[in-house]
Amino acid sequence: MAQRISLRDYQRELAERLRDADSARSASKLGVQVGAQSWLIDLAEAGEVIPVPSITAVPLTRAWFRGVANVRGNLYSVVDFAAFLGAGTAAASEQARLVLLGERFRSAAALLVDRSLGLRNPAQLRAREPASGRQTWLRAEYDDEAGGQWRELDVADLVRHPEFLTVAT
């Protein structure tokens, strides 16, 4: 026979589970390597991370615009994030990944990165003073316990930035 639980206890347990799930979601950020730099992307802003599919080049575009990729029947604009930053180009290796930007931005854009570094907990990072003259899409900068430096990407600002939107040469 099933155990009976009071409505009050059920609501309390449900509220605790929702609070725990919400804090876990907000506490995690996706770490990616872009050239020699380490970047963080909020999980709510990253749609999906996938191996790099075939990319079709588009003529008369900037060097950092790699082209378009078909991902399950949807076309995504592919930006070599390292080249966009002026930090070289993404390595053509099996570790390279496409970070599809969240659907809520309605941009159908993907960032080509050198590799995914997994999830990071911002509570384990120390915020540091951002460099002067930084781009608006650089949300924050951090140091980790091992002395590594991290930059956090503000995807909403990136997809609205005039330079990001101007792919034609």
Side-chain angles (χ1 to χ4, degrees), residues 22-46:
D22 190 43
S23 66
R25 198 170 32 253
S26 65
S28 294
K29 306 230 183 256
L30 173 66
V32 294
Q33 183 176 343
V34 180
Q37 301 174 356
S38 298
W39 283 81
L40 297 169
I41 303 173
D42 192 305
L43 286 179
E45 297 179 345

Side-chain angles (χ1 to χ4, degrees), residues 38-137:
S38 298
W39 283 81
L40 297 169
I41 303 173
D42 192 305
L43 286 179
E45 297 179 345
E48 189 177 352
V49 179
I50 62 171
V52 180
S54 176
I55 299 172
T56 303
V58 177
L60 303 173
T61 57
R62 296 182 186 256
W64 49 262
F65 186 77
R66 285 286 185 95
V68 293
N70 182 340
V71 179
R72 292 183 297 283
N74 297 303
L75 290 179
Y76 284 84
S77 301
V78 178
V79 172
D80 183 333
F81 196 45
F84 179 78
L85 296 171
T89 58
S93 71
E94 287 190 20
Q95 292 181 330
R97 295 288 181 259
L98 275 189
V99 178
L100 307 180
L101 302 183
E103 288 183 22
R104 72 182 191 169
F105 300 113
R106 300 179 193 253
S107 66
L111 301 178
L112 178 62
V113 299
D114 290 299
R115 66 186 179 124
S116 173
L117 300 173
L119 297 178
R120 297 291 185 257
N121 185 344
Q124 298 174 336
L125 302 171
R126 291 183 314 278
R128 63 182 165 94
E129 190 65 33
S132 62
R134 68 184 177 99
Q135 294 291 340
T136 59
W137 37 265

Side-chain angles (χ1 to χ4, degrees), residues 57 87 122 138:
L138 177 59

